[in-house]
Amino acid sequence: MSSEYDPESEAAAAMKRAAASEGADRQRLIQLALAWHHLARERRTNDAAE
């Protein structure tokens, strides 16, 4: 899978933004970070299978 995004760094950046946020924004950014984390895990799994 080729992409211009690095899911691991995107997850880390979203968590940093979440830590600096409050309320609904914080929750939304945590969910975003989790989504990036899942993409990174899937990418590692797919790369290992090849």
Side-chain angles (χ1 to χ4, degrees):
M1 173 182 356
S2 178
S3 174
E4 63 188 69
Y5 296 104
D6 175 19
E8 291 180 31
S9 64
E10 293 290 340
M15 282 307 290
K16 286 179 184 179
R17 289 191 303 263
S21 300
E22 296 180 358
D25 283 339
R26 175 176 277 183
Q27 184 63 36
R28 182 183 59 82
L29 288 166
I30 290 170
Q31 290 173 336
L32 178 62
L34 287 171
W36 279 115
H37 176 73
H38 288 297
L39 287 172
R41 187 173 55 201
E42 286 182 25
R43 178 182 276 185
R44 285 191 303 268
T45 301
N46 289 338
D47 288 347
E50 292 178 354

